[in-house]
Amino acid sequence: MATTFWHFWPEFNRWLDDVPDTRFMPLVIYDKRFLIWWGISLYLFQLGSRRQLDFDLDARGTQVLNNLNRLAQTQQETRPVHDTLDHFLEHTGAAPFAELRTRMLRRLIRMRSLDAGRLQGRFVVALDATGLLAFRRPHCPCCLVYRHTTHTVYLHQVLEAKLLGPAGLTLSMASEFIENSDSNAALSGEDRKQDCELKALSRLLPQLRQEFPQLRLCLSGDSLYACARTLQLAKNHHCNYVLTFKPGHMPAVWKDFQALLKLCPENELTCSTPEDAHQVYRWVHGLSYRDDQGRTWCFNAIECKETVNGQTTTFAWITDLNVDARKVKEIAEKGGRHRWHIENQGFNRQKNSGLNLEHVFSTDPERLKAFYYLLQIAHIILQTFEVGSLLRNMAAEFGRTPTQLFGSLKNIARRLLEAFRYFALSDEVFDRSRAGSIQVRFDTS
Ligand SMILES: [Zn+2]
């Protein structure tokens, strides 16, 4: 269980005490630290559904109760059932768990454990939205409504800002739910202007800036974000940006880009990757874009032509970072291409594993959000464990990588659950002085 997280685990437990729970009166009084760890366990052990808590984390003949007490620093004599968790979250609401996630990120940043992922001193924040839930019938007043020719779907989506750390770490930094507000719920059909990814960005970015006022940030987004709204928001909230540039978005600017590339042949860098891809980078400075409100924006643009096995693919980005032969590759990789991690290590992983992002963990929309944040918290702990040097060193003792040793991330999850059920976490595991002496590094190879 030892991870980077271990370095601030006692502090984490103190944060749990800050979660307000004044109105919560179950039959057995559970310490909230215990209940929150119970909730995090649902995702830490990737149980897939709330119901599995009752079966996979049963207390009879296992070390579960003992280990949970060790984690939460409590002395509960029984373990709760899954409904207790749902009931508890009804009273706390979702906000304290968003705050808990933010505190974890601040702590990881302060420990400097994510520094290797920085781009010219800035943390790269990938922006993207994903679907959470889909229903065939209206689910709540806030559902997004999409009418198809044969049927209508009711959706819940979320816009995520994920910090891209070293070794593919993709950590939830801020979340904004994309949903219709109650105030226009009375309007129906076409009268109702639905919420969307870009509108959600206008709410997310001020919130992100408020949570991390001093941090130097570089936003990374797909071509949907290459628009005046993002540029204005980035400016207002002091963020740099690297955004995917496609001919269809801002066609006049794209034409200028192509014409200018021919005029500055000296702006070129050729290189090869360890995977044998041949890359040609070219760039221009000072492209100008006039938006529909008459504002003029000025930025640089990068093109990368990559050839693998005779097949060439072209990528392009716009950025306000200063581009030259020394910096172009790093900007394109960390600012541009690593954005794909939000899709792969981020959304796909959360959907196609026991984290089960698209599962309806609660029937109530507010509690669903609380479960969403618990999932993000557990995934942060899991990621720091999976790419941390401790697991890597352990596997190295057998001459293997962690994935070679365990076969898959799914197997690692199963082993974690087995260990939690049948082995009592020892005093040694919780020895802070020992944890402090271990240097934990993320694999950046
Ligand atoms: Zn709904």
Side-chain angles (χ1 to χ4, degrees):
M1 283 289 286
T3 74
T4 308
F5 171 73
W6 230 225
H7 288 253
F8 63 96
W9 158 74
E11 199 177 339
F12 182 81
N13 273 345
R14 285 197 296 278
W15 297 340
L16 301 190
D17 289 332
D18 294 340
V19 173
D21 65 342
T22 46
R23 289 166 299 165
F24 183 55
M25 286 291 163
L27 286 176
V28 179
I29 305 295
Y30 286 103
D31 191 298
K32 59 189 159 188
R33 285 204 306 270
F34 189 88
L35 278 177
I36 298 169
W37 270 108
W38 176 247
I40 293 173
S41 301
L42 167 56
Y43 301 105
L44 205 53
F45 303 114
Q46 303 182 50
L47 306 184
S49 73
R50 216 172 75 201
R51 192 171 166 270
Q52 282 312 108
L53 276 170
D54 296 352
F55 302 105
D56 285 332
L57 296 188
D58 55 322
R60 241 170 282 149
T62 72
Q63 295 292 337
V64 166
L65 184 61
N66 181 23
N67 286 338
L68 271 172
N69 273 322
R70 295 301 303 260
L71 274 176
Q73 298 172 295
T74 51
Q75 274 109 36
Q76 301 298 155
E77 284 167 7
T78 59
R79 49 126 230 193
V81 292
H82 72 85
D83 278 339
T84 320
L85 177 63
D86 196 45
H87 186 45
F88 173 67
L89 297 178
E90 184 182 351
H91 290 279
T92 59
F97 300 101
E99 171 65 16
L100 193 57
R101 183 267 323 263
T102 305
R103 282 174 150 185
M104 290 177 81
L105 258 284
R106 282 199 201 112
R107 192 67 168 80
L108 285 167
I109 290 165
R110 210 167 68 229
M111 287 164 78
R112 312 191 72 89
S113 34
L114 307 173
D115 277 1
R118 287 195 194 223
L119 167 62
Q120 297 179 18
R122 296 155 181 87
F123 284 106
V124 180
V125 179
L127 303 168
D128 205 359
T130 194
L132 282 181
L133 305 171
F135 303 95
R136 283 304 188 95
R137 291 195 186 84
H139 154 262
C140 72
C142 304
C143 287
L144 301 173
V145 184
Y146 287 95
R147 291 193 169 79
H148 299 279
T149 43
T150 52
H151 63 285
T152 301
V153 283
Y154 300 85
L155 302 176
H156 280 245
Q157 297 175 341
V158 64
L159 171 65
E160 271 285 313
K162 292 207 197 273
L163 193 151
L164 303 183
L169 285 171
T170 308
L171 312 175
S172 177
M173 200 179 190
S175 317
E176 185 61 42
F177 294 91
I178 306 174
E179 56 189 18
N180 295 322
S181 65
D182 287 336
S183 57
N184 67 5
L187 300 172
S188 63
E190 308 313 312
D191 296 334
R192 188 174 177 176
K193 283 239 161 46
Q194 301 217 70
D195 196 12
C196 71
E197 201 167 332
L198 284 174
K199 283 187 200 167
L201 182 67
S202 297
R203 302 191 299 273
L204 178 137
L205 219 50
Q207 171 207 330
L208 177 70
R209 197 27 106 196
Q210 200 182 349
E211 305 283 12
F212 300 91
Q214 305 296 336
L215 215 57
R216 296 174 77 195
L217 300 174
C218 179
L219 307 177
S220 174
D222 64 22
S223 60
L224 173 77
Y225 293 90
C227 65
R229 185 196 285 251
T230 312
L231 300 183
Q232 185 66 52
L233 283 166
K235 187 180 170 191
N236 293 352
H237 301 287
H238 316 291
C239 299
N240 294 99
Y241 57 84
V242 178
L243 306 167
T244 303
F245 191 16
K246 284 198 170 154
H249 273 75
M250 308 196 276
V253 189
W254 181 267
K255 236 175 107 189
D256 289 349
F257 177 39
Q258 296 306 312
L260 281 168
L261 277 174
K262 294 192 185 82
L263 298 178
C264 40
E266 69 281 9
N267 290 354
E268 187 176 304
L269 177 79
T270 304
C271 53
S272 297
T273 68
E275 295 81 29
D276 256 357
H278 179 74
Q279 295 176 329
V280 181
Y281 291 97
R282 299 195 299 157
W283 60 95
V284 302
H285 297 118
L287 271 179
S288 169
Y289 163 56
R290 199 173 159 79
D291 71 23
D292 55 8
Q293 292 181 49
R295 296 172 296 194
T296 301
W297 303 95
C298 195
F299 41 73
N300 306 320
I302 300 170
E303 180 195 76
C304 171
K305 282 192 188 294
E306 183 175 86
T307 307
V308 186
N309 299 329
Q311 288 269 19
T312 301
T313 317
T314 304
F315 305 95
W317 301 275
I318 58 168
T319 179
D320 61 342
L321 294 172
N322 188 19
V323 185
D324 60 28
R326 229 165 19 89
K327 296 172 184 156
V328 65
K329 190 175 159 65
E330 194 195 14
I331 295 173
E333 279 182 0
K334 287 185 172 175
R337 303 166 70 109
H338 285 182
R339 185 187 62 75
W340 302 333
H341 291 165
I342 194 171
E343 192 63 40
N344 301 326
Q345 282 90 329
F347 300 146
N348 288 347
R349 171 77 196 283
Q350 293 186 356
K351 288 179 184 184
N352 303 312
S353 68
L355 293 169
N356 216 359
L357 183 73
E358 293 168 300
H359 179 73
V360 187
F361 283 98
S362 178
T363 50
D364 173 78
E366 180 66 15
R367 270 174 276 161
L368 265 173
K369 291 180 188 172
F371 278 104
Y372 180 83
Y373 289 119
L374 285 175
L375 187 157
Q376 301 307 325
I377 289 165
H379 196 202
I380 291 171
I381 301 174
L382 278 176
Q383 287 184 74
T384 58
F385 169 64
E386 288 161 0
V387 307
S389 53
L390 289 174
L391 190 65
R392 206 166 66 245
N393 294 344
M394 191 192 94
E397 284 175 25
F398 298 92
R400 298 176 183 191
T401 66
T403 330
Q404 282 169 342
L405 184 63
F406 295 103
S408 63
L409 288 174
K410 195 175 164 189
N411 288 345
I412 294 178
R414 214 183 60 218
R415 290 294 187 88
L416 259 181
L417 176 62
E418 283 170 8
F420 197 76
R421 280 172 60 84
Y422 299 117
F423 295 93
L425 294 174
S426 66
D427 289 337
E428 204 181 45
V429 173
F430 291 89
D431 183 353
R432 289 278 296 143
S433 57
R434 199 165 167 275
S437 70
I438 301 170
Q439 271 280 355
V440 185
R441 287 198 189 84
F442 298 126
D443 182 9
T444 50
S445 60

